Amino acid sequence: MKYYPMLIACLLAFSSQAQTSTPPPQVYQFVEKMPSCPYDLGQYLSENIHYPDAAIAKGIEGRVLIKFVINEDGAISNVTLSKGIGGGCDEEALRVVKSMPKWAPGSNDGKSVKVFFTQPIRFRLPEPDTALQSAEIYSSVDIMPKPSFDIQDYLAKNLRYPSDAREKGIEGKVI
């Protein structure tokens, strides 16, 4: 009986704390205005993804799925792997997504909100050039190939001296 007042005090304290705390912001799957990438995402990925040597050596190809949150300010957070292929590709995809610049955030009722986003990243090895593998390459032949056009005229019309090289006085031969 002597513990009832203490139990009631604890319950009141707990219930008053629960009522004053604010729930964490909701992360949406779909919103009225979905987030958008203000830069060329394909170009960003192709310039920043480096095919891991281990994956190249093992011939690993495939699609990695990365899930992340685009926050109210457009920053990327909560980057996780949804589907991986191994060989270092998963870690590389995570690294590049974590380093992405801010996006234009998604919104509901004109208010910026957090939105889940899933980005596929494809790792694909280049096709081997079978023509070069099967053909012998010569450094000299009896009859050298000739272009079907005047190469000097073509170069004179199409070659432009870079302005920064001209300003710096850079001269030389390109072979």
Side-chain angles (χ1 to χ4, degrees):
M1 195 71 168
K2 63 182 179 180
Y3 296 107
Y4 284 130
M6 186 190 274
L7 179 63
I8 291 172
C10 288
L11 287 173
L12 286 174
F14 178 74
S15 66
S16 67
Q17 283 182 341
Q19 291 174 356
T20 58
S21 65
T22 57
Q26 182 178 356
V27 182
Y28 294 89
Q29 293 282 346
F30 300 100
V31 290
E32 290 172 0
K33 182 180 174 213
M34 290 298 286
S36 61
C37 190
Y39 46 91
D40 185 339
L41 183 58
Q43 181 180 354
Y44 176 83
L45 293 174
S46 69
E47 288 175 357
N48 289 283
I49 295 257
H50 303 288
Y51 216 119
D53 291 336
I56 293 170
K58 294 177 182 175
I60 295 173
E61 294 183 309
R63 190 171 58 152
V64 175
L65 294 177
I66 303 294
K67 188 173 185 175
F68 54 96
V69 173
I70 301 167
N71 293 315
E72 296 96 331
D73 66 349
I76 306 299
S77 68
N78 299 54
V79 181
T80 59
L81 179 69
S82 283
K83 177 186 173 267
I85 58 173
C89 295
D90 308 341
E91 294 80 6
E92 180 64 6
L94 286 165
R95 180 192 70 80
V96 170
V97 170
K98 286 178 183 177
S99 70
M100 282 194 299
K102 289 184 175 183
W103 286 39
S107 63
N108 264 344
D109 296 324
K111 182 181 175 192
S112 293
V113 294
K114 291 183 175 191
V115 181
F116 279 115
F117 199 87
T118 301
Q119 178 62 49
I121 298 175
R122 181 149 177 82
F123 286 86
R124 189 169 170 187
L125 293 168
E127 292 292 324
D129 190 347
T130 55
L132 288 178
Q133 289 177 349
S134 64
E136 190 171 347
I137 300 173
Y138 296 93
S139 57
S140 66
V141 291
D142 294 334
I143 301 171
M144 292 297 288
K146 295 181 183 177
S148 60
F149 55 90
D150 183 358
I151 196 159
Q152 294 297 329
D153 183 51
Y154 174 82
L155 291 173
K157 289 179 182 175
N158 294 287
L159 191 60
R160 302 287 179 252
Y161 205 107
S163 59
D164 60 331
R166 185 176 318 140
E167 291 169 6
K168 294 177 184 176
I170 297 173
E171 294 181 3
K173 277 186 186 176
V174 176
I175 299 177

